[in-house]
Amino acid sequence: MLIRCLVVFAGLLNVDGQLVINVSKGTEQSSVYQQIITGNTSTDTVTIQYLTPGGDSVKQVSDLKNRVLITVYTIPGEEELGHFSYQVLCFISAHNGDMIPSEAVTKLRQKHSRTVRVAEEHKGNTIQDNPVNLIMSRAGLLSPQIPVLCREAKYSTYTSEEQLQKIVSNPSKISSFVQKNHHPYQLMERCSSLAVGSSSPCICELSSCIWWYPCSLKFCRSPGGESEHRCGIRTCSRCISHRFSVNQADRCFWEIQP
């Protein structure tokens, strides 16, 4: 299982100019993660990715040009327990702008590779309900990154009409991007409340935290006070919980208690 996790993650790290850092929540008992941050000026994107202690891969791509945030989870399963070998799940959100330019990310460096970084400000915990599936054949119109990042999540790329309203310039076109669920989202039970082996549709949840990212640039005045120049970055952390529907509870096995 560990080998498969590492192979999946290694396939996500085939990039140049990446900054590899150790990050933590900053509390005494918190885990230390190795996090990779990459800026791509040709696509104007910033990618942050890491492996959780449980072996899940989390990849978050900020498409700054199109104001879209793409979160990709790759979750290995326990095949001996009847799970899928792995699942890829994508979530599409409107980007709120709290990221430095991709060009500035490419210039980030670190002097001490063993340093554990802790963010200056925590942006809080967000819950995003994702009641609709994104139609993959149309997803590239929102961001050309979606079809690439979510190619293994053709039927498991989720979002909400509320998020799309912040992305799409013409609200009347939102319905052409989504496929609504056959089961009423608001009436479904949480998967965590169902028994093992249940075939009922339910609401699943995945949570992740980015414990360190460059959320804004710092500017200082020149000695004469006539101009400003970049003099550093401000760092932030944030957590998000994505809720979404699955056709049967075993698609959300991490919430089902044996």
Side-chain angles (χ1 to χ4, degrees):
M1 177 58 65
L2 179 58
I3 292 176
R4 182 164 62 251
C5 295
L6 293 176
V7 169
V8 169
F9 192 54
L12 298 175
L13 300 186
N14 187 23
V15 293
D16 296 323
Q18 60 192 22
L19 176 68
V20 182
I21 57 175
N22 298 312
V23 301
S24 170
K25 182 179 179 180
T27 59
E28 186 175 345
Q29 302 298 325
S30 58
S31 300
V32 176
Y33 296 84
Q34 189 175 77
Q35 185 174 284
I36 296 92
I37 304 177
T38 309
N40 187 321
T41 55
S42 61
T43 58
D44 198 13
T45 57
V46 176
T47 300
I48 301 175
Q49 50 194 326
Y50 64 92
L51 272 179
T52 69
D56 298 342
S57 167
V58 180
K59 186 174 187 178
Q60 192 173 93
V61 177
S62 298
D63 182 343
L64 302 178
K65 180 179 180 180
N66 295 292
R67 299 178 294 110
V68 175
L69 181 67
I70 307 158
T71 305
V72 186
Y73 295 88
T74 303
I75 304 172
E78 296 288 347
E79 293 183 72
E80 58 273 20
L81 298 179
H83 300 161
F84 299 94
S85 58
Y86 67 92
Q87 294 186 67
V88 180
L89 302 165
C90 283
F91 299 92
I92 310 304
S93 314
H95 198 279
N96 62 9
D98 65 335
M99 178 66 69
I100 66 174
S102 56
E103 167 267 333
V105 173
T106 64
K107 298 178 180 179
L108 294 178
R109 300 291 184 270
Q110 65 174 340
K111 295 181 180 180
H112 307 289
S113 60
R114 296 184 179 180
T115 299
V116 177
R117 298 174 182 246
V118 178
E120 299 170 71
E121 177 186 354
H122 182 55
K123 292 279 190 174
N125 304 317
T126 301
I127 297 174
Q128 179 177 319
D129 280 290
N130 300 274
V132 296
N133 289 73
L134 194 65
I135 299 174
M136 194 54 64
S137 61
R138 301 274 297 165
L141 298 175
L142 299 175
S143 166
Q145 306 304 317
I146 298 175
V148 177
L149 295 165
C150 305
R151 61 184 178 274
E152 292 189 81
K154 185 177 180 180
Y155 301 108
S156 54
T157 297
Y158 304 93
T159 188
S160 69
E161 294 186 10
E162 179 185 3
Q163 292 297 315
L164 292 179
Q165 286 174 359
K166 301 175 183 178
I167 300 171
V168 179
S169 57
N170 187 347
S172 65
K173 294 184 178 181
I174 290 177
S175 60
S176 67
F177 288 100
V178 300
Q179 179 179 350
K180 295 187 177 182
N181 293 310
H182 298 297
H183 306 282
Y185 181 85
Q186 300 296 340
L187 299 180
M188 292 185 196
E189 293 184 78
R190 288 293 302 271
C191 296
S192 57
S193 68
L194 299 180
V196 175
S198 172
S199 59
S200 299
C202 55
I203 301 297
C204 187
E205 183 173 309
L206 272 173
S207 300
S208 62
C209 295
I210 303 295
W211 288 121
W212 189 97
Y213 68 97
C215 51
S216 62
L217 296 171
K218 291 180 180 179
F219 290 88
C220 299
R221 286 197 172 277
S222 60
E226 298 177 355
S227 61
E228 290 185 335
H229 62 278
R230 294 182 186 178
C231 58
I233 58 173
R234 181 167 182 78
T235 60
C236 298
S237 64
R238 63 173 177 234
C239 298
I240 186 167
S241 295
H242 287 284
R243 292 177 180 172
F244 58 103
S245 65
V246 293
N247 291 330
Q248 53 193 62
D250 63 356
R251 285 280 186 176
C252 188
F253 62 85
W254 53 90
E255 282 201 351
I256 307 298
Q257 296 298 323

